[in-house]
Amino acid sequence: MSLSFYGREFSSRLLIGSALYPSPSIMQSAIRSSGAEIVTVSLRRESAGGKTGDSFWKLIRELDVTVLPNTAGCRTVREAVTTAKLARELFGTSWIKLEVIADNDTLQPDVVGLVEAATILIKDGFDVFPYCTEDLSVATSLVDAGCKVVMPWAAPIGSAKGIINRDALRLLRDRLPDITLVVDAGLGAPSHAAQALELGYDAVLLNTAIAKAKDPVAMASAFRLGVEAGRTAYEAGLMDARDFASPSTPVVGTPFWHAVS
Amino acid sequence: MRVIVNGEQREIASDSVAALLRELDYEGTHFAIALNYDVVPKSRWSETPLNAGDEIEIITPRQGG
């Protein structure tokens, strides 16, 4: 089964961020090592005379990847909508990773503002990738607004805690079978990514866990393998868990076996 | 006249977006501009006038997650 984002096909189920790496060259190497085809970027104020944006953009262009701009740091619907429009102008893409942040400590999405901003942007022709919580009613509202992709968090951004609310993520997968679901934020280890794919999630979006590893390039490779393992396991069909032991070795013909009298 | 550029009060002589970029010595090539929360496409920078009190955001690509 192929992976599709707004009608475009991809093979890698790992989306990667471009922030927090020890150096620009390590960023490039880690992104290549991850196998990711989609890379998130942001928009920031440029100071007078500065060429910071130019030099960063050159690094991304060299990677030959699809760019997914974000609205990170936006606190209001108005800021997020304007930032999305700036991203469309700057990057020439209708794709936007939509973030409306409610709280500085938890970076919890403002889900009410998120749905409102998504509704405005979709009417304006954007393909919205909303960063949301694992709440089913929020995800359903985003889908009703026209989102074909929904990206619930596993845990707070940068926390590395992995999937906190597995049951809710499973429910989203069951109830939204035709939506491309991405676990975005909070993953810390390749095993966390594997768990998301095992649940049937279409992809994961990672940044801090790779960029802040001792060796980001090796960690990017480990996450690539974790994602592949999880997806392969999902397609292979995991057995159901059960409460009691069940012998794997055949019981019939066990030596020294005596019928209980 | 006084305007706000990237959140800071500035006294400027320019009367258009394009002139402002020259006046403030912006040398890069990848910018997007918002004027009072509306995006001004690059094709309209020369013809878009500035007025006192305007809020201008000058934005470029940056690292993001």
Side-chain angles (χ1 to χ4, degrees), chain A:
Chain A
M1 207 163 58
S2 64
L3 174 63
S4 170
F5 291 107
Y6 288 101
R8 293 180 58 186
E9 304 286 321
F10 293 87
S11 51
S12 171
R13 294 177 180 275
L14 195 167
L15 287 67
I16 194 167
S18 56
L20 301 173
Y21 296 89
S23 74
S25 68
I26 292 175
M27 177 196 79
Q28 283 188 318
S29 298
I31 290 172
R32 289 194 179 103
S33 175
S34 74
E37 298 163 294
I38 298 170
V39 177
T40 55
V41 297
S42 74
L43 297 87
R44 288 292 177 264
R45 288 169 167 168
E46 183 71 283
S47 55
K51 292 183 175 178
T52 315
D54 280 11
S55 56
F56 171 69
W57 185 229
K58 180 171 176 287
L59 293 170
I60 295 296
R61 292 288 293 272
E62 287 170 1
L63 291 166
D64 193 27
V65 290
T66 297
V67 168
L68 174 58
N70 70 28
T71 65
C74 289
R75 302 288 304 260
T76 66
V77 172
R78 190 188 194 198
E79 288 171 11
V81 168
T82 301
T83 302
K85 291 177 179 175
L86 285 166
R88 181 166 62 183
E89 167 78 3
L90 196 52
F91 299 107
T93 177
S94 59
W95 282 18
I96 191 71
K97 178 186 167 185
L98 184 60
E99 300 183 33
V100 185
I101 299 300
D103 182 275
N104 277 342
D105 292 327
T106 64
L107 297 179
Q108 165 131 8
D110 169 1
V111 293
V112 176
L114 181 69
V115 173
E116 187 182 340
T119 304
I120 293 167
L121 290 170
I122 288 164
K123 282 181 183 159
D124 196 14
F126 280 89
D127 297 324
V128 175
F129 295 61
Y131 159 65
C132 59
T133 62
E134 76 279 21
D135 187 283
L136 176 62
S137 66
V138 171
T140 305
S141 297
L142 290 165
V143 170
D144 290 345
C147 292
K148 306 292 185 199
V149 177
V150 173
M151 304 206 296
W153 63 358
I157 294 173
S159 69
K161 285 178 177 291
I163 294 170
I164 289 177
N165 195 345
R166 177 187 170 87
D167 290 345
L169 288 183
R170 188 197 297 276
L171 181 63
L172 285 191
R173 180 70 288 175
D174 289 345
R175 296 288 287 274
L176 303 172
D178 301 323
I179 298 299
T180 301
L181 289 180
V182 180
V183 168
D184 175 15
L187 301 179
S191 54
H192 300 159
Q195 286 167 9
L197 274 291
E198 287 167 10
L199 285 173
Y201 274 68
D202 295 285
V204 294
L205 199 164
L206 295 155
N207 192 343
T208 311
I210 291 174
K212 288 297 188 185
K214 281 184 186 167
D215 182 344
V217 180
M219 189 59 79
S221 176
F223 268 102
R224 174 174 53 78
L225 295 168
V227 166
E228 286 175 11
R231 180 63 191 185
T232 305
Y234 173 72
E235 289 177 354
L238 293 147
M239 67 170 279
D240 293 328
R242 40 188 182 202
D243 290 334
F244 296 100
S246 174
S248 47
T249 303
V251 174
V252 175
T254 303
F256 313 114
W257 182 84
H258 298 283
V260 177
S261 56

